[in-house]
Amino acid sequence: MPKVQRFFLELKKSNKTNQQVILPTNVKIYSESKKNININKFFYRQIGKDHFWRDRLLWSDNEWRKYINNKNIQTGIMKINENFVGFYEQEFHENENEIELIQMGILQEYQGMKLGSFLLKFIIQNSFSRDVERLWVHTCSLDHKYALNNYLSKGLKIFREEEIDFIL
């Protein structure tokens, strides 16, 4: 059974640097306020197919609706002109005053253009504008080969590592 390395990373308010996000002129990132399950399903399937994202593939539309209609879930969309490029999902944990970055990714045809770096900088700036104490995420060795380095280069620090069995 193959082993997968999983990394839990965090950026605390006290360690955050002010990284100004200057997007290329044709790139925009916005919060998806319509709560359209088809957008979340599209990104989960398209980005996840290369990284073994499988948990939600079995979800019914009702399960998707329940998930994205959670008042603490936010979906962000990245576009170039009017074309979907990437997304993120994050959840605000009120009791801890923190944000968990649940999913983040760039569609395959837009990878290699540093858009993941722009998206992560935006997520960090947007998260801390809400005056949270920390932002955290987990990634693993199945994710994009630059995912861990992207998080580390933006100031996130590993606070836990584990090795888990992965069933293909």
Side-chain angles (χ1 to χ4, degrees):
M1 187 172 306
K3 299 284 186 185
V4 171
Q5 289 298 121
R6 188 160 40 187
F7 305 92
F8 295 80
L9 299 101
E10 67 184 356
L11 180 59
K12 294 183 178 179
K13 180 179 175 179
S14 57
N15 296 332
K16 181 189 81 66
T17 60
N18 290 326
Q19 297 185 35
Q20 186 63 25
V21 181
I22 302 170
L23 297 174
T25 54
N26 58 346
V27 175
K28 65 181 172 184
I29 304 171
Y30 63 93
S31 181
E32 174 54 48
S33 58
K34 294 182 181 106
K35 302 279 187 174
N36 180 344
I37 64 169
N38 293 319
I39 291 174
N40 294 70
K41 286 167 67 172
F42 167 77
F43 280 116
Y44 187 85
R45 285 187 178 117
Q46 292 306 306
I47 294 170
K49 69 184 175 188
D50 295 326
H51 307 292
F52 295 95
W53 295 358
R54 310 186 282 206
D55 302 15
R56 298 188 210 166
L57 294 178
L58 302 175
W59 282 11
S60 68
D61 285 353
N62 284 339
E63 289 170 299
W64 276 102
R65 274 187 214 88
K66 181 179 178 187
Y67 172 71
I68 68 168
N69 284 317
N70 172 339
K71 69 179 176 68
N72 292 319
I73 295 286
Q74 177 189 24
T75 300
I77 306 295
M78 177 183 252
K79 286 185 173 183
I80 293 180
N81 300 320
E82 290 306 310
N83 299 315
F84 285 137
V85 170
F87 89 125
Y88 66 91
E89 293 173 351
Q90 62 185 26
E91 183 173 8
F92 174 62
H93 298 289
E94 198 169 353
N95 291 342
E96 294 85 13
N97 191 31
E98 65 184 19
I99 290 178
E100 175 187 0
L101 178 57
I102 298 170
Q103 303 282 347
M104 174 189 148
I106 302 295
L107 294 170
Q108 190 174 46
E109 58 267 33
Y110 293 100
Q111 292 177 6
M113 302 167 65
K114 305 235 181 266
L115 295 169
S117 180
F118 283 117
L119 185 57
L120 184 55
K121 283 181 185 179
F122 176 88
I123 292 165
I124 291 169
Q125 183 180 38
N126 186 51
S127 296
F128 285 101
S129 72
R130 296 175 64 175
D131 200 32
V132 295
E133 292 301 315
R134 85 175 181 146
L135 169 70
W136 71 277
V137 64
H138 76 268
T139 189
C140 73
S141 54
L142 296 173
D143 285 339
H144 190 277
K145 63 183 177 182
Y146 296 125
L148 181 59
N149 284 339
N150 191 20
Y151 295 125
L152 292 170
S153 73
K154 305 303 180 292
L156 282 88
K157 306 283 186 223
I158 296 171
F159 68 91
R160 189 169 99 214
E161 291 182 50
E162 62 188 13
E163 188 174 81
I164 57 174
D165 292 328
F166 183 75
I167 301 168
L168 294 173

